[in-house]
Amino acid sequence: QGPAELITGGTDGVLVPVDEPEAFGRAMAALLADATRRTALAAAGRAAYEARFAPGPVLAQWRAFLQRMGENR
């Protein structure tokens, strides 16, 4: 799975096939040429991080998990 588990292609990042260096080069060139898109991807990436991986959401997920485990005893 890899990066596709963390990144939504075109929304908060750019995904290219691992075995296609030309696709990677095209994607990088496109990003270098489009500051607006870079800024939008960066903002969306930050928001996705905050929603999924920042301490608050992670702790909430752990609490919910531990509560479910306690209920299943």
Side-chain angles (χ1 to χ4, degrees):
Q1 306 270 344
E5 292 184 57
L6 304 173
I7 298 169
T8 303
T11 300
D12 57 14
V14 178
L15 296 169
V16 296
V18 69
D19 58 349
E20 294 185 26
E22 295 84 8
F24 178 75
R26 287 190 302 272
M28 295 308 303
L31 286 173
L32 287 170
D34 190 343
T36 301
R37 185 165 182 234
R38 284 194 315 270
T39 301
L41 289 172
R46 180 63 181 195
Y49 160 79
E50 291 291 338
R52 294 173 61 195
F53 304 111
V58 171
L59 288 173
Q61 290 174 13
W62 271 107
R63 284 187 187 112
F65 171 75
L66 293 172
Q67 183 175 10
R68 285 192 311 272
M69 294 299 103
E71 293 169 357
N72 291 329
R73 285 182 155 200

